[in-house]
Amino acid sequence: EVQVVGSGGDLVQPGGSLRLSCTVSGLTFSNHWMAWIRQAPGKGLEFVGNINQDESVKNYADSVQGRFTIYRDNAKKSLYLQMDSLRAEDTAVYHCATDVRGGSFEYWGQGAQVTVSS
Amino acid sequence: EIVLTQSPGTLSLSPGERAALSCRASQSVGSSLAWYQHKPGQAPRLLIDGASNRATGIPDRFSGGGSGTDFTLTINSLEPEDFAIYFCQQYRIWRTFGRGTRVEI
């Protein structure tokens, strides 16, 4: 059974930083693209960005470009989202997911709540 | 950006009934469309990929159809565990999601 477990959600002040983590089991992590997807309160889901197997390709939504960084540690079967210069509009539940490259998202984590507020 | 509009917003049905959910794209996405099921507090689950292909382990009461701009997710004979939120996602250009349809009892 594939399990995707996210962690690291918290309350942070505007302008602050936070790192989310996600651990995957039940599949060969190093073979998969991975992605972050978020859902702000009362809004639809938004694709934040993704990363390929060896970190040589990373894509970001315009809304987070230059502020967020996605990286991974294949030995630890873990995915990370470093979020800097956080804004109120970044408040959302953040999901990590396996990324069928250029397509759908096959396995998702349950989500981590990030709240940006003073 | 390709906008996906889902309708209805809420569908009130009973177990055993059939549900038909719509997803309309603002421009053609071909067959580059997926459907997901999401229950509060749980991880979303991929149901349908490529507009009509069931994902691994998905029961055959779930079926997807359509191409271009109009898509449908059909759930035949609703089971109690099917009451959830369903959303569509396109991957023709970048990735965008619909706002979802809530299927409630």
Side-chain angles (χ1 to χ4, degrees):
Chain A
E1 179 192 4
V2 177
Q3 288 196 325
V4 180
V5 180
S7 62
D10 206 346
L11 170 64
V12 62
Q13 292 191 339
S17 296
L18 191 66
R19 188 185 80 163
L20 301 182
S21 302
C22 174
T23 302
V24 182
S25 60
L27 53 75
T28 305
F29 180 76
S30 58
N31 287 351
H32 292 265
W33 282 69
M34 295 294 298
W36 289 97
I37 301 136
R38 68 183 180 182
Q39 186 165 26
K43 296 192 174 181
L45 290 149
E46 178 187 18
F47 174 52
V48 173
N50 64 354
I51 184 171
N52 74 337
Q53 293 90 334
D54 66 2
E55 300 188 284
S56 60
V57 178
K58 301 179 185 182
N59 300 296
Y60 298 95
D62 289 343
S63 57
V64 307
Q65 180 76 49
R67 301 187 298 120
F68 288 13
T69 303
I70 300 172
Y71 61 101
R72 64 193 292 164
D73 184 333
N74 286 338
K76 294 183 178 179
K77 301 180 181 180
S78 293
L79 175 72
Y80 304 97
L81 180 65
Q82 177 66 42
M83 302 183 288
D84 299 318
S85 303
L86 281 161
R87 306 166 180 168
E89 55 265 36
D90 296 319
T91 294
V93 173
Y94 285 74
H95 298 274
C96 58
T98 62
D99 186 335
V100 179
R101 185 192 174 189
S104 59
F105 305 103
E106 189 167 14
Y107 301 105
W108 296 57
Q110 81 284 6
Q113 176 69 52
V114 174
T115 302
V116 184
S117 174
S118 54
Chain B
E1 175 182 305
I2 296 178
V3 176
L4 299 179
T5 302
Q6 291 189 243
S7 61
T10 301
L11 201 51
S12 297
L13 295 168
S14 299
E17 291 191 301
R18 179 181 169 211
L21 287 65
S22 172
C23 177
R24 178 164 292 178
S26 59
Q27 64 187 79
S28 177
V29 299
S31 295
S32 301
L33 191 106
W35 288 93
Y36 301 86
Q37 178 192 68
H38 192 196
K39 297 179 182 179
Q42 296 187 21
R45 180 170 71 147
L46 175 66
L47 300 174
I48 301 288
D49 200 359
S52 61
N53 303 309
R54 272 189 301 276
T56 304
I58 301 303
D60 60 8
R61 63 179 181 274
F62 292 92
S63 62
S67 66
T69 60
D70 290 296
F71 300 87
T72 302
L73 174 69
T74 302
I75 312 171
N76 286 310
S77 189
L78 282 162
E79 297 285 344
E81 62 267 27
D82 298 337
F83 292 91
I85 296 170
Y86 294 84
F87 57 91
C88 55
Q89 175 234 327
Q90 68 80 25
Y91 44 90
R92 179 71 172 220
I93 299 175
W94 193 240
R95 272 90 155 251
T96 56
F97 295 85
R99 296 289 297 268
T101 290
R102 179 185 302 273
V103 178
E104 64 177 25
I105 297 177

